[in-house]
Amino acid sequence: MAKKVLEVKDLKMYYFASRGVVKAVDSVSFDLHKGEVLGLAGESGCGKSSLGFTLMGMPTAPGKIVGGSVKVDGREIVGLPEDVLRKEIRWQKIAMIFQGAMNALNPVYTIGYQMIEPLLYHKGMSKEEALDKAQKYLELVGLAPDIVYRYPHELSGGMKQRVVIAMALLLEPDVVIADEPTTALDVVVQAQIINLMKKLKKELGLSMIFITHDLSILAEISDRVAIMYAGKIVEIGDSKKIYYEPAHPYTQKLLSAIPRLHEDVEKLEFIPGQPPNLISPPTGCRFHPRCPFAMEVCRKQEPELKEIDRDHYAACWLL
């Protein structure tokens, strides 16, 4: 078994809003191994992106980490001062490919200026050295080196996304979090970005958390898949097990809503109702108001994430 580059245990991050406390990430635990891609899927609003920002130690205000542990390459980062996180952890040990490349790039600076800044700050390189490395990483993601002299508005959506990927890889981090990197791109460019990620994983041995609501994309790239619902991971395991033998009713419903090219599916299913309010989530299993198999125990007691097969875990009283 490859070594663990990320260990998350009982992580909690809540938003302290005026209407109440939003439990966006609530007792989440998982590991990520060297060279592995962990897909993180679930409906919009289930806490996927919030989890990504929490792992970076930068929850969006008014969010605060209220408990749990995050170890990157064996080092605990929860509780570290902001200046230590910025200098020694972010982009050095754990980096993020942001969801909206259009918003992640500053429109008034050239691509090269934005790429060399972390190299100057973290590595103490000269401008010439930093620019040379930036150009090499642009080539790595399939862009021309002279992109460093262009402004973001001169690039297409797919080119911007490749720039953001190159920026995340510049300092050679142990873990890369890809937060819906194919959102807002057309299907042709989506396929190009997915193929690029697969190529980088193979060439650089990337350890990655790939966040998306699209399970068909995860089938292309993930070694393991975690399904998130209402701030909690309800199922996690090898991607083939998740796709062919889903154990949790929520996972089953998500997969039943995807059209299949090579199988006869009489009718696509849907999940009735809507995701719960995380200020006052349902008692017991958070999925029970929408679950067709809900029992009395589901309404009263919260199920724990338990191993139901080798390296396959699910939180459901039916199991």
Side-chain angles (χ1 to χ4, degrees), residues 109-121:
Y109 292 117
T110 63
I111 298 299
Y113 181 92
Q114 296 179 66
M115 288 186 74
I116 69 172
E117 190 176 28
L119 294 171
L120 302 177
Y121 177 75

Side-chain angles (χ1 to χ4, degrees), residues 143-277:
L143 293 174
D146 64 1
I147 293 289
V148 292
Y149 303 110
R150 295 198 198 176
Y151 287 87
H153 72 268
E154 298 179 86
L155 308 181
S156 69
M159 292 167 81
K160 286 193 188 87
Q161 194 65 65
R162 287 171 186 261
V163 167
V164 172
I165 292 170
M167 290 173 76
L169 301 177
L170 263 179
L171 298 182
E172 299 165 13
D174 295 315
V175 179
V176 174
I177 301 168
D179 185 12
E180 303 205 34
T182 58
T183 298
L185 302 175
D186 63 61
V187 289
V188 174
V189 180
Q190 277 189 22
Q192 291 172 354
I193 296 298
I194 292 297
N195 288 335
L196 171 63
M197 303 292 270
K198 287 158 76 173
K199 171 176 165 270
L200 293 173
K201 179 202 170 189
K202 189 175 180 180
E203 290 181 2
L204 305 178
L206 283 182
S207 307
M208 193 188 310
I209 297 173
F210 197 101
I211 299 171
T212 183
H213 59 268
D214 191 337
L215 282 162
S216 58
I217 287 177
L218 290 188
E220 284 284 314
I221 194 168
S222 301
D223 301 302
R224 286 193 303 144
V225 172
I227 304 296
M228 199 165 180
Y229 183 78
K232 292 180 175 287
I233 289 178
V234 295
E235 186 167 1
I236 184 170
D238 177 84
S239 58
K240 287 185 179 177
K241 283 265 175 137
I242 297 293
Y243 281 94
Y244 291 109
E245 301 172 39
H248 197 281
Y250 179 59
T251 312
Q252 293 168 4
K253 285 285 189 182
L254 284 180
L255 289 168
S256 298
I258 301 173
R260 307 295 174 97
L261 285 176
H262 306 294
E263 295 178 27
D264 290 328
V265 179
E266 290 185 9
K267 186 179 178 183
L268 292 177
E269 294 189 25
F270 69 98
I271 304 174
Q274 59 187 10
N277 181 350

Side-chain angles (χ1 to χ4, degrees), residues 113-144:
Y113 181 92
Q114 296 179 66
M115 288 186 74
I116 69 172
E117 190 176 28
L119 294 171
L120 302 177
Y121 177 75
H122 289 286
K123 298 294 187 184
M125 289 184 175
S126 67
K127 284 188 178 180
E128 291 74 22
E129 288 176 313
L131 199 60
D132 183 57
K133 185 165 185 178
Q135 289 177 319
K136 286 178 181 174
Y137 270 80
L138 285 174
E139 289 185 276
L140 183 68
V141 298
L143 293 174

Side-chain angles (χ1 to χ4, degrees), residues 17-49:
S18 57
R19 290 182 298 148
V21 179
V22 181
K23 298 175 180 178
V25 178
D26 202 8
S27 299
V28 167
S29 302
F30 65 90
D31 298 325
L32 181 70
H33 297 91
K34 179 72 176 171
E36 178 184 52
V37 175
L38 174 67
L40 184 63
E43 292 170 290
S44 294
C46 72
K48 305 184 299 295
S49 294

